[in-house]
């Protein structure tokens, strides 16, 4: 009888641990959506994740996203209207710059800021320089 009780306790605890691990995985693991780069702040420093996923424990980390999709804008340079194609540079340092500039702004807010930057630039060289400060590049 003692062996049966011990086996039942072992099976019960094992099952609870397996269910608990599954719940933790579902709760704390976040997949990075396409067109975005995740930035996790907190314990362990700032980590950028472009593909895959990341573990986020709410009391220890904060997860933000930076948009990395190719965006097309209209701008007037040298008296003619041009299409300006902009994308986030994939290097970690540039992702950190974009995160510092935009935080967790949504796509439309990010587009508005980039459009204002394009509109206020006097020439292409100035625009390239200003985009680089934010971690973006003109394609």
């Amino acid at each position: 009888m003692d062996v049966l009780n011990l086996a039942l306790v072992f099976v019960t605890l094992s099952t609870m641990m397996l269910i608990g691990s599954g719940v933790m995985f579902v709760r704390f693991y976040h997949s990075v959506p396409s067109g975005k780069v995740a930035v996790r702040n907190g314990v362990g420093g700032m980590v950028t994740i472009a593909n895959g996923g990341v573990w986020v424990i709410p009391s220890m980390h904060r997860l933000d996203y930076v948009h990395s999709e190719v965006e097309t804008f209209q701008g007037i340079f040298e008296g003619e209207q041009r299409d300006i194609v902009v994308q986030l540079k994939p290097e970690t340092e540039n992702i950190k710059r974009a995160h510092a500039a935009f935080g967790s702004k949504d796509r439309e807010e990010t587009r508005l800021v980039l459009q204002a930057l394009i509109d206020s630039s006097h020439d292409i060289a100035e625009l390239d320089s200003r985009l680089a400060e934010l971690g973006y590049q003109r394609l």
Side-chain angles (χ1 to χ4, degrees):
M1 189 70 167
D2 290 329
V3 173
L4 184 61
N5 284 340
L6 186 61
L8 184 61
V9 168
F10 177 75
V11 168
T12 303
L13 288 176
S14 298
T15 303
M16 289 174 59
M17 287 178 63
L18 186 62
I19 291 172
S21 297
V23 168
M24 282 180 48
F25 182 79
V26 169
R27 171 106 170 93
F28 297 143
Y29 188 79
H30 296 270
S31 295
V32 179
S34 63
K36 295 183 180 182
V37 177
V39 179
R40 185 187 76 182
N41 289 311
V43 175
M46 182 182 285
V47 178
T48 61
I49 303 93
N51 297 316
V54 62
W55 289 95
V56 178
I57 300 171
S59 61
M60 298 170 62
H61 303 116
R62 178 175 164 208
L63 185 64
D64 292 323
Y65 293 101
V66 178
H67 297 279
S68 62
E69 299 168 326
V70 174
E71 299 283 353
T72 303
F73 299 93
Q74 298 290 317
I76 298 175
F77 293 98
E78 300 170 5
E80 62 182 65
Q81 187 166 351
R82 291 180 153 176
D83 285 339
I84 308 295
V85 181
V86 174
Q87 183 180 27
L88 179 67
K89 293 180 184 178
E91 295 84 17
T92 300
E93 194 58 39
N94 293 309
I95 295 168
K96 289 178 180 180
R97 285 183 190 164
H99 179 260
F102 297 110
S104 59
K105 288 184 178 3
D106 65 18
R107 181 176 177 220
E108 288 306 312
E109 289 176 309
T110 302
R111 282 187 57 81
L112 288 173
V113 171
L114 290 173
Q115 183 65 56
L117 183 81
I118 291 168
D119 292 341
S120 65
S121 296
H122 299 293
D123 58 28
I124 293 293
E126 178 187 1
L127 174 62
D128 287 343
S129 172
R130 293 171 80 183
L131 286 172
E133 290 174 11
L134 298 177
Y136 283 80
Q137 65 184 352
R138 186 174 54 87
L139 301 178

